[in-house]
Amino acid sequence: MHLRVFLKLESIPRLLLPYILDRGESFGSIPSSVGDGGRKLVVDFSSPNITSEFQGKHLRSTIIGAFVARLYEDKGWDVTRMTYLGDWGKPIALLYVGWGRFGSEDAYQADPVGHLLDVYHKIGEAFQPEQAATKEVRDKAVKEGRDEAEVQLEMESLESQGIFAERNEAFKKLEEGDEALVAFWKKVRDAVIADYQRFYDRLGIRFDEYSGESEVKSETMHEVEQILKDKRLSEESAGAWMVDMTKLGARAGHAIIRDRGGSSTYLLRDLAAVLERSRKYSFDKMIYVVASDNNIHFNQMLKILEAVDQDLAKKLQHVKFNDASKMAATLGKGYKPEAILDRCEEAMSSLPEVDTDKAAVVGNSDIVVKGLGTSALLLQELSTRSASAHAFDTKTLPSFKLGSGPDLQYWYTKLATLLADHTATAALSDEDFEVLADDDHANMLRILAQYPEVVNATFHSLEPSGIVTYLASVTEQLADCLNEEEGEISVTPGLAALLEATRIVLRNGMKLLGLVPIPDLPQERADTPVAG
């Protein structure tokens, strides 16, 4: 059954404006006392590897994950934000091997993260021929259909020498608690996390927990292994323990739980981490915001969990996105996370060339340029649908095009300026309401009324691009309402109420996307002109 309600045009402002003005920041949200209030969510996002650059897929995970967290909070959920660092495993062991060859304490003290990245690239280049040789053996064996046991012996022979052997031995010692290796790991982890925190702070994103593979307890991993053995899901093959995924409904493949050298795998650590988080947080849902290049991993993990604990598996969701990015091509090797924002802010210097009038409205103080750079980056990441190809490109950031970060900031700042000397109220006269019944104003009211529905639809799709598209329609209609070409704008009481309602919706949507409106930035800093 459908219930259709028809309203007279003149009734819309009388009903809608008081409703929006009364609710303010909560317009479009569901209070915690109703709906999903009190339910617990863990969002695992960003999750970079501490041995390599903060890649484009990590940036997109950071921005989308923070959006998902805000969206659930907006719906009344109790949200825990977590980043699960790649801070364990063979990459750390490889970096240790590289440190022995290329590390310099003086260079580290001068630039800790920069030097670690340099060392990792150097050892990676030295290691590449060995990796290529093992890949060639594996590919040839698959092509010739050779016996798996025979191939494993040949692989073991290749990996028992050179950098392979040094790396594997280092990781074995790390898992056994070797003092020197643990000290090195802690030194690297602390330096990189401090670097990440500065970047996250500038981006306006926070985490409740900095977790990592290293913090997964060995006893929990053993518990997972025992469960898999008891349920006859895992089996030994050539010294490694693995799960035959075909027995769990997958088309093909084996999921390795513990490798033939006895070391834990990323999959085993992730399975154990799910158990630990479930016990710690008693969550109703956990969302992983991770690029689609991890699809196989998450498919394996979820299939195994379904076989072990179906109720727990149902609480997990993988929010995936296209991982294509040109960040490395744009920034080069060895860049640190803050270089991403530095480049975005540098790009804002050409905004006045794009539109002098709009640039003058938003301003050019140091804090404003930083805000514009962050806004431009956020909208570049959030305006593309998750499955679509995406590229990090600072050349396209300085733009006032419809729906861009700078354009949203321009319209919000303009609204704040127009309303600076006017108090918006819903207590309007009949004459004031009549003015709002013209086509442009009525269309604006219709668009504003859609905001709660847009937020609700986005909550189910987790596609931030829907909010971006909606806010673009708000500013596009706002331009029609103000009709600046007719000269100076006269702000009547009726128009002031409409503009305030528009400002509320625009602000709520921007904050959901992670944008801080420029007028809300600290004024003592906003008055400081840009150096140079």
Side-chain angles (χ1 to χ4, degrees):
M1 184 179 74
H2 297 278
L3 179 64
R4 303 182 72 179
V5 179
F6 296 90
L7 294 173
K8 292 183 179 179
L9 195 61
E10 59 269 22
S11 300
I12 296 176
R14 298 173 188 271
L15 294 172
L16 186 61
L17 285 179
Y19 186 82
I20 296 176
L21 295 178
D22 177 63
R23 280 152 183 77
E25 291 186 5
S26 67
F27 178 64
S29 304
I30 294 180
S32 58
S33 58
V34 297
D36 291 319
R39 298 189 71 190
K40 294 182 180 180
L41 169 73
V42 173
V43 187
D44 178 333
F45 63 106
S46 191
S47 304
N49 301 307
I50 69 171
T51 56
S52 57
E53 284 89 355
F54 192 92
Q55 299 172 24
K57 63 182 180 181
H58 300 130
L59 174 67
R60 202 169 188 200
S61 170
T62 303
I63 292 173
I64 294 175
F67 169 78
V68 169
R70 287 189 295 268
L71 191 61
Y72 268 82
E73 279 185 334
D74 199 58
K75 288 291 186 180
W77 285 61
D78 178 8
V79 178
T80 297
R81 295 162 169 82
M82 171 186 296
T83 184
Y84 183 66
L85 302 170
D87 65 347
W88 200 249
K90 292 178 180 178
I92 293 289
L94 182 63
L95 180 61
Y96 180 77
V97 173
W99 181 265
R101 298 189 183 194
F102 310 110
S104 163
E105 192 60 37
D106 288 341
Y108 175 83
Q109 292 300 327
D111 182 7
V113 175
H115 184 56
L116 290 172
L117 288 171
D118 182 52
V119 168
Y120 193 72
H121 283 299
K122 286 180 177 177
I123 191 62
E125 289 172 5
F127 190 30
Q128 198 278 329
E130 292 184 30
Q131 291 177 303
T134 57
K135 184 178 185 301
E136 184 179 353
V137 168
R138 171 64 68 183
D139 291 346
K140 185 178 180 182
V142 170
K143 187 175 180 180
E144 295 175 351
R146 291 169 56 195
D147 180 69
E148 179 68 22
E150 181 186 337
V151 176
Q152 288 292 347
L153 287 173
E154 190 171 348
M155 296 287 286
E156 287 178 16
S157 176
L158 286 171
E159 294 183 12
S160 66
Q161 53 193 313
I163 295 176
F164 259 121
E166 292 182 63
R167 183 201 66 176
N168 293 346
E169 178 63 19
F171 183 46
K172 187 172 183 295
K173 287 183 177 180
L174 180 61
E175 289 210 305
E176 291 172 350
D178 180 86
E179 188 175 324
L181 270 154
V182 169
F184 175 78
W185 160 77
K186 188 176 187 307
K187 173 181 178 178
V188 171
R189 190 179 192 274
D190 290 348
V192 174
I193 287 179
D195 198 57
Y196 287 157
Q197 286 176 324
R198 288 190 291 271
F199 168 69
Y200 293 136
D201 286 345
R202 286 179 61 182
L203 199 54
I205 289 172
R206 66 175 176 83
F207 289 98
D208 300 298
E209 181 177 331
Y210 283 81
S211 182
E213 297 176 66
S214 64
E215 296 183 355
V216 178
K217 297 181 178 67
S218 59
E219 52 264 38
T220 313
M221 287 189 275
H222 290 311
E223 179 184 351
V224 170
E225 289 180 286
Q226 191 59 51
I227 292 172
L228 294 176
K229 290 175 183 177
D230 291 344
K231 290 182 175 289
R232 297 184 178 180
L233 295 173
S234 65
E235 57 192 44
E236 188 178 6
S237 176
W241 282 90
M242 57 185 67
V243 175
D244 183 351
M245 296 305 298
T246 60
K247 294 180 180 179
L248 301 181
R251 291 183 179 179
H254 286 81
I256 300 175
I257 299 300
R258 193 173 288 276
D259 69 22
R260 58 182 179 271
S263 298
S264 63
T265 62
Y266 182 67
L267 178 59
L268 175 57
R269 294 191 290 272
D270 240 12
L271 288 166
V274 173
L275 292 187
E276 292 183 354
R277 294 176 190 180
S278 177
R279 292 163 182 171
K280 180 177 180 179
Y281 294 107
S282 300
F283 57 75
D284 297 285
K285 189 171 189 176
M286 180 160 66
I287 295 177
Y288 296 88
V289 184
V290 183
S292 54
D293 63 348
N294 276 268
N295 282 353
I296 293 175
H297 168 77
F298 280 103
N299 287 338
Q300 290 180 341
M301 186 177 79
L302 290 172
K303 284 283 187 185
I304 292 171
L305 280 173
E306 284 172 5
V308 171
D309 187 336
Q310 197 167 42
D311 290 336
L312 179 57
K314 287 179 180 178
K315 296 178 180 180
L316 307 185
Q317 181 180 356
H318 175 204
V319 173
K320 56 190 175 183
F321 54 87
N322 190 300
D323 65 324
S325 175
K326 295 180 180 178
M327 186 174 290
T330 302
L331 300 177
K333 277 187 177 181
Y335 65 86
K336 290 178 285 186
E338 288 193 271
I340 299 167
L341 288 174
D342 290 342
R343 291 291 291 274
C344 293
E345 290 165 15
E346 288 169 11
M348 292 303 104
S349 63
S350 61
L351 262 182
E353 300 170 16
V354 175
D355 191 318
T356 304
D357 293 337
K358 286 188 174 182
V361 170
V362 295
N364 70 340
S365 68
D366 183 48
I367 193 67
V368 166
V369 170
K370 292 179 184 297
L372 288 172
T374 301
S375 298
L377 175 62
L378 291 174
L379 266 292
Q380 183 181 80
E381 299 295 320
L382 295 171
S383 61
T384 306
R385 289 186 64 83
S386 299
S388 301
H390 169 74
F392 171 80
D393 187 2
T394 57
K395 293 179 182 177
T396 64
L397 294 181
S399 168
F400 285 108
K401 71 178 180 181
L402 187 67
S404 67
D407 198 54
L408 291 180
Q409 291 286 14
Y410 161 74
W411 283 109
Y412 187 90
T413 304
K414 187 168 185 65
L415 282 174
T417 302
L418 288 171
L419 291 167
D421 299 323
H422 300 274
T423 301
T425 175
L428 302 175
S429 66
D430 290 341
E431 185 179 348
D432 292 326
F433 279 121
E434 288 173 6
V435 172
L436 298 178
D438 71 38
D439 287 345
D440 286 336
H441 295 154
N443 286 335
M444 174 58 82
L445 286 164
R446 290 192 188 98
I447 292 172
L448 297 182
Q450 295 168 12
Y451 181 65
E453 182 182 347
V454 170
V455 173
N456 191 54
T458 303
F459 178 73
H460 292 290
S461 70
L462 298 184
E463 284 284 358
S465 58
I467 299 288
V468 177
T469 301
Y470 170 76
L471 294 183
S473 71
V474 171
T475 59
E476 188 173 33
Q477 186 58 39
L478 179 58
D480 290 341
C481 285
L482 296 180
N483 197 6
E484 295 170 294
E485 293 181 1
E486 294 186 358
E488 187 175 345
I489 300 168
S490 175
V491 182
T492 63
L495 181 58
L498 178 62
L499 294 182
E500 175 60 15
T502 305
R503 186 197 67 81
I504 288 171
V505 170
L506 195 56
R507 184 173 188 268
N508 290 356
M510 289 170 67
K511 291 188 73 175
L512 202 53
L513 295 173
L515 277 66
V516 179
I518 283 175
D520 293 353
L521 294 170
Q523 291 304 303
E524 64 272 15
R525 293 179 63 191
D527 294 334
T528 306
V530 179

